[in-house]
Amino acid sequence: MQYSNTIRRTVWLAALLALAVSAWAPLGAQVSSYGDKQTGQANTKSQLLDKVGIAQHLNQQLPLNLTFTDDAGKQVQLGDYFGKRPAILALVYYQCPMLCSEELNGLTGALQMVSFRPGKDYDVVIASIDPSEGTDLAAAKKRTYVKRYGHPETADGWHFLTGTQANIDVLTKTVGFGYVKIPGPDGKLTQFAHASSIQIVTPQGKLAQYYMGVEYSPKDLRLGLVEASANRIGSPVDNILTYCYHYDPGTNKHSLIVARVVQLGGLVTMFSLGGFMWVMFRRDFRGDHKQDKETLASGTKVNG
Protein backbone atom coordinates (compact mmCIF):
# COMPACT_ATOMS: atom_id res chain seq x y z
CA MET A 1 0.00 0.00 0.00
CA GLN A 2 2.80 2.38 0.87
CA TYR A 3 4.53 1.70 -2.42
CA SER A 4 1.22 2.24 -4.27
CA ASN A 5 0.74 5.65 -2.65
CA THR A 6 4.33 6.60 -3.42
CA ILE A 7 3.88 5.67 -7.05
CA ARG A 8 0.62 7.60 -7.22
CA ARG A 9 2.23 10.70 -5.73
CA THR A 10 5.09 10.42 -8.21
CA VAL A 11 2.66 10.18 -11.13
CA TRP A 12 0.68 13.21 -9.89
CA LEU A 13 3.83 15.26 -9.45
CA ALA A 14 4.99 14.34 -12.95
CA ALA A 15 1.57 15.29 -14.34
CA LEU A 16 1.69 18.66 -12.57
CA LEU A 17 5.13 19.41 -13.93
CA ALA A 18 4.05 18.41 -17.43
CA LEU A 19 0.99 20.66 -17.22
CA ALA A 20 3.06 23.54 -15.94
CA VAL A 21 5.56 23.20 -18.79
CA SER A 22 2.87 22.79 -21.45
CA ALA A 23 0.83 25.74 -20.13
CA TRP A 24 3.69 28.15 -19.59
CA ALA A 25 6.36 27.34 -22.16
CA PRO A 26 4.37 28.21 -25.35
CA LEU A 27 3.26 31.49 -23.81
CA GLY A 28 6.76 32.34 -22.80
CA ALA A 29 7.92 31.65 -26.33
CA GLN A 30 5.26 33.91 -27.83
CA VAL A 31 5.41 36.85 -25.46
CA SER A 32 8.26 39.29 -25.62
CA SER A 33 9.67 41.03 -22.62
CA TYR A 34 8.15 44.31 -21.50
CA GLY A 35 10.93 46.30 -23.08
CA ASP A 36 10.52 44.57 -26.43
CA LYS A 37 6.80 45.21 -26.86
CA GLN A 38 6.73 48.73 -28.19
CA THR A 39 4.49 49.69 -31.09
CA GLY A 40 6.58 52.45 -32.59
CA GLN A 41 8.95 55.23 -31.66
CA ALA A 42 6.34 57.36 -29.96
CA ASN A 43 3.78 54.80 -28.78
CA THR A 44 4.58 52.67 -25.73
CA LYS A 45 2.27 50.17 -24.07
CA SER A 46 1.38 52.56 -21.27
CA GLN A 47 0.46 55.27 -23.76
CA LEU A 48 -1.71 52.79 -25.65
CA LEU A 49 -3.53 51.71 -22.54
CA ASP A 50 -4.24 55.32 -21.63
CA LYS A 51 -6.21 55.73 -24.85
CA VAL A 52 -7.76 52.29 -25.29
CA GLY A 53 -10.86 51.27 -23.37
CA ILE A 54 -14.63 51.41 -23.04
CA ALA A 55 -16.38 54.18 -21.12
CA GLN A 56 -20.00 53.20 -20.49
CA HIS A 57 -22.12 56.16 -21.60
CA LEU A 58 -25.46 54.76 -20.54
CA ASN A 59 -28.52 56.76 -21.60
CA GLN A 60 -26.38 58.72 -24.09
CA GLN A 61 -28.20 59.62 -27.31
CA LEU A 62 -26.51 58.37 -30.47
CA PRO A 63 -25.99 60.99 -33.20
CA LEU A 64 -28.67 59.67 -35.54
CA ASN A 65 -27.92 62.23 -38.24
CA LEU A 66 -24.45 60.77 -38.95
CA THR A 67 -24.01 59.53 -42.51
CA PHE A 68 -22.42 56.18 -43.36
CA THR A 69 -22.24 53.85 -46.36
CA ASP A 70 -24.03 50.54 -45.99
CA ASP A 71 -22.96 47.12 -47.29
CA ALA A 72 -24.80 47.75 -50.57
CA GLY A 73 -22.93 51.00 -51.23
CA LYS A 74 -25.89 53.19 -50.32
CA GLN A 75 -25.57 56.39 -48.28
CA VAL A 76 -27.57 56.01 -45.08
CA GLN A 77 -28.07 57.84 -41.81
CA LEU A 78 -27.59 56.10 -38.50
CA GLY A 79 -31.15 57.07 -37.65
CA ASP A 80 -32.43 54.86 -40.49
CA TYR A 81 -32.01 51.88 -38.15
CA PHE A 82 -33.92 53.33 -35.23
CA GLY A 83 -37.46 54.37 -34.40
CA LYS A 84 -39.22 50.99 -34.44
CA ARG A 85 -37.12 48.46 -32.52
CA PRO A 86 -33.93 48.18 -30.48
CA ALA A 87 -30.55 47.46 -32.00
CA ILE A 88 -27.25 45.81 -31.16
CA LEU A 89 -24.31 48.06 -32.04
CA ALA A 90 -20.75 46.82 -32.48
CA LEU A 91 -17.69 48.89 -33.39
CA VAL A 92 -15.01 46.82 -35.14
CA TYR A 93 -12.83 46.91 -38.20
CA TYR A 94 -13.29 44.32 -40.90
CA GLN A 95 -9.61 43.51 -41.48
CA CYS A 96 -8.88 43.00 -37.78
CA PRO A 97 -6.57 39.94 -37.56
CA MET A 98 -7.93 38.60 -34.30
CA LEU A 99 -10.33 40.18 -31.81
CA CYS A 100 -13.08 41.63 -34.02
CA SER A 101 -13.82 38.29 -35.66
CA GLU A 102 -13.96 36.66 -32.23
CA GLU A 103 -16.38 39.37 -31.10
CA LEU A 104 -18.68 38.92 -34.10
CA ASN A 105 -18.45 35.13 -33.83
CA GLY A 106 -19.43 35.32 -30.17
CA LEU A 107 -22.31 37.68 -30.92
CA THR A 108 -23.62 35.55 -33.77
CA GLY A 109 -23.36 32.37 -31.72
CA ALA A 110 -25.30 33.94 -28.86
CA LEU A 111 -27.99 35.32 -31.16
CA GLN A 112 -28.54 31.83 -32.60
CA MET A 113 -29.86 30.88 -29.16
CA VAL A 114 -32.15 33.91 -28.85
CA SER A 115 -35.70 33.46 -30.17
CA PHE A 116 -35.88 37.05 -31.46
CA ARG A 117 -34.91 37.65 -35.09
CA PRO A 118 -32.92 40.48 -36.74
CA GLY A 119 -35.02 42.68 -38.98
CA LYS A 120 -38.19 41.77 -37.08
CA ASP A 121 -37.46 42.21 -33.37
CA TYR A 122 -34.17 44.13 -33.48
CA ASP A 123 -31.38 45.21 -35.83
CA VAL A 124 -27.68 44.41 -35.80
CA VAL A 125 -25.58 47.46 -36.70
CA ILE A 126 -21.85 46.91 -37.24
CA ALA A 127 -19.74 50.01 -37.95
CA SER A 128 -16.10 49.97 -39.01
CA ILE A 129 -13.65 52.25 -37.18
CA ASP A 130 -11.31 52.17 -40.20
CA PRO A 131 -12.17 54.88 -42.76
CA SER A 132 -10.07 53.11 -45.40
CA GLU A 133 -12.42 50.13 -45.48
CA GLY A 134 -15.09 50.13 -48.16
CA THR A 135 -18.29 48.51 -49.33
CA ASP A 136 -16.68 45.30 -50.63
CA LEU A 137 -15.31 44.43 -47.20
CA ALA A 138 -18.58 45.33 -45.50
CA ALA A 139 -20.58 43.21 -47.95
CA ALA A 140 -18.24 40.24 -47.52
CA LYS A 141 -18.56 40.42 -43.73
CA LYS A 142 -22.34 40.58 -43.99
CA ARG A 143 -22.44 37.48 -46.19
CA THR A 144 -20.19 35.64 -43.74
CA TYR A 145 -22.23 36.40 -40.64
CA VAL A 146 -25.69 36.04 -42.15
CA LYS A 147 -24.58 32.61 -43.36
CA ARG A 148 -23.09 31.81 -39.97
CA TYR A 149 -26.30 32.87 -38.25
CA GLY A 150 -28.18 30.37 -40.39
CA HIS A 151 -31.27 32.42 -41.24
CA PRO A 152 -30.81 34.08 -44.65
CA GLU A 153 -34.28 35.58 -44.42
CA THR A 154 -32.95 37.93 -41.70
CA ALA A 155 -30.36 39.59 -43.99
CA ASP A 156 -32.27 42.88 -43.98
CA GLY A 157 -31.70 43.08 -40.23
CA TRP A 158 -27.89 42.98 -40.50
CA HIS A 159 -26.17 46.26 -41.40
CA PHE A 160 -22.43 46.57 -41.98
CA LEU A 161 -21.36 50.20 -42.30
CA THR A 162 -18.29 52.15 -43.33
CA GLY A 163 -17.73 55.88 -42.94
CA THR A 164 -15.46 58.87 -42.91
CA GLN A 165 -12.99 59.54 -40.12
CA ALA A 166 -15.00 62.54 -38.93
CA ASN A 167 -18.21 60.54 -38.53
CA ILE A 168 -16.37 57.58 -37.01
CA ASP A 169 -14.85 59.93 -34.43
CA VAL A 170 -18.25 61.30 -33.43
CA LEU A 171 -19.76 57.83 -33.09
CA THR A 172 -16.87 56.31 -31.13
CA LYS A 173 -16.71 59.30 -28.78
CA THR A 174 -20.44 59.06 -28.13
CA VAL A 175 -20.24 55.34 -27.39
CA GLY A 176 -17.08 55.73 -25.28
CA PHE A 177 -15.04 53.48 -27.54
CA GLY A 178 -11.37 54.42 -27.17
CA TYR A 179 -8.92 53.09 -29.76
CA VAL A 180 -5.54 53.92 -31.32
CA LYS A 181 -4.16 53.29 -34.79
CA ILE A 182 -0.84 51.41 -34.70
CA PRO A 183 1.69 49.86 -37.09
CA GLY A 184 0.94 46.43 -38.49
CA PRO A 185 3.53 43.78 -39.38
CA ASP A 186 4.63 45.82 -42.41
CA GLY A 187 5.31 48.91 -40.28
CA LYS A 188 2.40 50.84 -41.77
CA LEU A 189 -0.47 52.21 -39.69
CA THR A 190 -2.89 49.46 -40.66
CA GLN A 191 -4.06 48.05 -37.33
CA PHE A 192 -5.90 49.36 -34.28
CA ALA A 193 -5.44 48.91 -30.55
CA HIS A 194 -8.94 48.56 -29.16
CA ALA A 195 -11.10 46.78 -26.63
CA SER A 196 -14.14 44.60 -27.27
CA SER A 197 -17.75 45.32 -26.38
CA ILE A 198 -21.23 45.39 -27.84
CA GLN A 199 -23.98 47.86 -26.99
CA ILE A 200 -27.75 47.46 -26.77
CA VAL A 201 -29.54 50.58 -28.02
CA THR A 202 -33.15 51.63 -27.49
CA PRO A 203 -35.50 52.29 -30.45
CA GLN A 204 -34.91 56.01 -29.84
CA GLY A 205 -31.14 55.51 -30.19
CA LYS A 206 -30.06 55.73 -26.54
CA LEU A 207 -27.31 53.48 -25.17
CA ALA A 208 -29.08 51.08 -22.82
CA GLN A 209 -26.54 48.36 -21.98
CA TYR A 210 -22.90 47.35 -22.53
CA TYR A 211 -21.59 43.80 -22.74
CA MET A 212 -17.81 43.34 -22.57
CA GLY A 213 -15.54 40.72 -24.10
CA VAL A 214 -16.11 38.33 -26.99
CA GLU A 215 -18.55 35.82 -25.47
CA TYR A 216 -22.09 36.88 -24.63
CA SER A 217 -24.89 35.22 -22.69
CA PRO A 218 -27.99 34.58 -24.85
CA LYS A 219 -30.13 35.12 -21.75
CA ASP A 220 -28.50 38.52 -21.08
CA LEU A 221 -28.85 39.57 -24.72
CA ARG A 222 -32.54 38.65 -24.76
CA LEU A 223 -33.17 40.50 -21.49
CA GLY A 224 -31.20 43.51 -22.74
CA LEU A 225 -33.28 43.67 -25.93
CA VAL A 226 -36.54 43.34 -24.00
CA GLU A 227 -35.61 46.14 -21.60
CA ALA A 228 -34.26 48.37 -24.36
CA SER A 229 -37.47 47.93 -26.37
CA ALA A 230 -39.28 49.40 -23.35
CA ASN A 231 -36.73 52.25 -23.25
CA ARG A 232 -35.26 51.04 -19.96
CA ILE A 233 -31.61 51.84 -19.35
CA GLY A 234 -29.47 49.16 -17.73
CA SER A 235 -26.70 49.40 -15.14
CA PRO A 236 -22.94 49.56 -15.68
CA VAL A 237 -21.24 46.18 -15.95
CA ASP A 238 -17.81 45.15 -14.72
CA ASN A 239 -15.27 46.74 -17.01
CA ILE A 240 -13.19 43.61 -17.61
CA LEU A 241 -11.80 44.34 -21.04
CA THR A 242 -10.40 42.17 -23.77
CA TYR A 243 -7.76 44.09 -25.70
CA CYS A 244 -6.37 43.63 -29.18
CA TYR A 245 -3.31 45.22 -30.74
CA HIS A 246 -0.17 44.45 -32.67
CA TYR A 247 -1.04 40.95 -33.77
CA ASP A 248 1.26 39.60 -36.48
CA PRO A 249 -0.44 36.76 -38.38
CA GLY A 250 2.88 35.98 -40.09
CA THR A 251 4.54 34.98 -36.82
CA ASN A 252 1.37 34.22 -34.84
CA LYS A 253 2.46 36.56 -32.03
CA HIS A 254 -0.19 38.14 -29.87
CA SER A 255 0.10 41.43 -28.05
CA LEU A 256 1.57 41.45 -24.59
CA ILE A 257 -1.76 42.48 -23.07
CA VAL A 258 -3.78 39.60 -24.47
CA ALA A 259 -1.07 37.07 -23.75
CA ARG A 260 -0.63 38.24 -20.16
CA VAL A 261 -4.35 37.62 -19.59
CA VAL A 262 -3.91 34.09 -20.93
CA GLN A 263 -0.83 33.60 -18.75
CA LEU A 264 -2.79 34.70 -15.69
CA GLY A 265 -5.40 32.06 -16.45
CA GLY A 266 -2.63 29.48 -16.77
CA LEU A 267 -1.19 30.49 -13.41
CA VAL A 268 -4.59 30.22 -11.74
CA THR A 269 -4.98 26.73 -13.19
CA MET A 270 -1.51 25.71 -12.04
CA PHE A 271 -2.09 26.99 -8.49
CA SER A 272 -5.45 25.21 -8.37
CA LEU A 273 -3.87 21.94 -9.47
CA GLY A 274 -1.05 22.43 -7.01
CA GLY A 275 -3.50 22.99 -4.16
CA PHE A 276 -5.47 19.89 -5.10
CA MET A 277 -2.35 17.75 -5.23
CA TRP A 278 -1.12 19.14 -1.90
CA VAL A 279 -4.39 18.04 -0.30
CA MET A 280 -4.08 14.61 -1.90
CA PHE A 281 -0.45 14.27 -0.76
CA ARG A 282 -1.47 15.09 2.82
CA ARG A 283 -4.26 12.55 2.71
CA ASP A 284 -1.92 9.88 1.34
CA PHE A 285 0.68 10.75 3.98
CA ARG A 286 -1.89 10.49 6.75
CA GLY A 287 -3.09 7.19 5.30
CA ASP A 288 0.46 5.84 5.22
CA HIS A 289 1.10 7.06 8.75
CA LYS A 290 -2.11 5.44 9.99
CA GLN A 291 -1.27 2.20 8.22
CA ASP A 292 2.19 2.17 9.76
CA LYS A 293 0.67 2.61 13.25
CA GLU A 294 -1.81 -0.19 12.63
CA THR A 295 0.94 -2.45 11.33
CA LEU A 296 3.13 -1.65 14.30
CA ALA A 297 0.26 -2.25 16.72
CA SER A 298 -0.61 -5.50 15.02
CA GLY A 299 2.99 -6.67 15.14
CA THR A 300 3.30 -5.76 18.81
CA LYS A 301 0.15 -7.65 19.64
CA VAL A 302 1.36 -10.76 17.78
CA ASN A 303 4.77 -10.63 19.42
CA GLY A 304 3.15 -10.19 22.81
Side-chain angles (χ1 to χ4, degrees):
M1 181 68 178
Q2 183 175 359
Y3 289 113
S4 176
N5 288 336
T6 301
I7 292 172
R8 185 162 68 248
R9 287 198 295 268
T10 302
V11 171
W12 282 350
L13 182 58
L16 176 61
L17 291 173
L19 283 170
V21 171
S22 62
W24 185 258
L27 289 173
Q30 290 184 5
V31 181
S32 302
S33 66
Y34 280 96
D36 293 338
K37 272 298 180 181
Q38 295 182 353
T39 56
Q41 296 295 326
N43 290 330
T44 64
K45 294 185 303 300
S46 61
Q47 290 172 327
L48 283 173
L49 289 176
D50 288 341
K51 299 177 181 179
V52 175
I54 306 293
Q56 299 178 50
H57 294 171
L58 292 170
N59 207 29
Q60 179 71 43
Q61 176 68 56
L62 291 180
L64 300 182
N65 60 336
L66 288 181
T67 300
F68 289 88
T69 302
D70 70 7
D71 43 74
K74 179 183 176 182
Q75 293 293 302
V76 296
Q77 285 193 331
L78 195 60
D80 293 343
Y81 308 116
F82 295 94
K84 296 180 180 179
R85 49 186 176 257
I88 298 174
L89 173 66
L91 301 176
V92 300
Y93 69 108
Y94 302 136
Q95 297 182 94
C96 180
M98 182 173 64
L99 191 64
C100 297
S101 293
E102 293 300 320
E103 176 181 329
L104 295 180
N105 291 345
L107 172 61
T108 305
L111 291 179
Q112 288 174 329
M113 293 181 278
V114 175
S115 58
F116 302 149
R117 289 288 178 255
K120 177 183 177 183
D121 304 301
Y122 65 94
D123 285 281
V124 180
V125 180
I126 314 295
S128 172
I129 60 173
D130 186 352
S132 70
E133 294 184 331
T135 302
D136 290 344
L137 278 172
K141 283 292 181 181
K142 177 172 181 174
R143 288 193 297 270
T144 295
Y145 285 101
V146 170
K147 180 179 180 180
R148 189 183 187 96
Y149 181 60
H151 295 276
E153 72 279 5
T154 67
D156 288 343
W158 296 77
H159 314 283
F160 287 74
L161 310 180
T162 55
T164 63
Q165 186 66 66
N167 287 343
I168 291 170
D169 288 345
V170 174
L171 179 58
T172 55
K173 184 177 180 180
T174 301
V175 173
F177 185 89
Y179 69 100
V180 179
K181 196 167 188 178
I182 60 170
D186 57 1
K188 297 180 181 180
L189 293 173
T190 56
Q191 295 187 2
F192 294 86
H194 65 93
S196 177
S197 75
I198 61 172
Q199 292 71 226
I200 306 293
V201 188
T202 70
Q204 285 69 41
K206 290 190 175 183
L207 293 163
Q209 188 65 68
Y210 287 73
Y211 296 115
M212 305 296 180
V214 296
E215 295 290 339
Y216 312 104
S217 162
K219 181 179 179 181
D220 288 346
L221 282 179
R222 186 183 187 283
L223 179 61
L225 288 168
V226 168
E227 292 186 340
S229 66
N231 297 308
R232 290 196 291 267
I233 306 300
S235 302
V237 297
D238 290 338
N239 216 343
I240 301 175
L241 299 178
T242 304
Y243 294 98
C244 175
Y245 77 88
H246 212 189
Y247 173 77
D248 183 350
T251 60
N252 196 31
K253 290 183 178 179
H254 297 73
S255 74
L256 184 61
I257 299 174
V258 174
R260 289 302 183 201
V261 173
V262 177
Q263 283 182 336
L264 179 60
L267 284 173
V268 171
T269 301
M270 288 168 56
F271 282 128
S272 299
L273 285 171
F276 170 76
M277 290 187 176
W278 181 79
V279 171
M280 297 304 295
F281 289 162
R282 280 180 59 87
R283 186 162 65 182
D284 284 348
F285 175 78
R286 289 175 178 175
D288 291 346
H289 190 56
K290 181 178 180 182
Q291 182 182 9
D292 290 342
K293 282 186 175 181
E294 290 174 349
T295 302
L296 180 61
S298 176
T300 301
K301 184 176 181 180
V302 170
N303 291 333

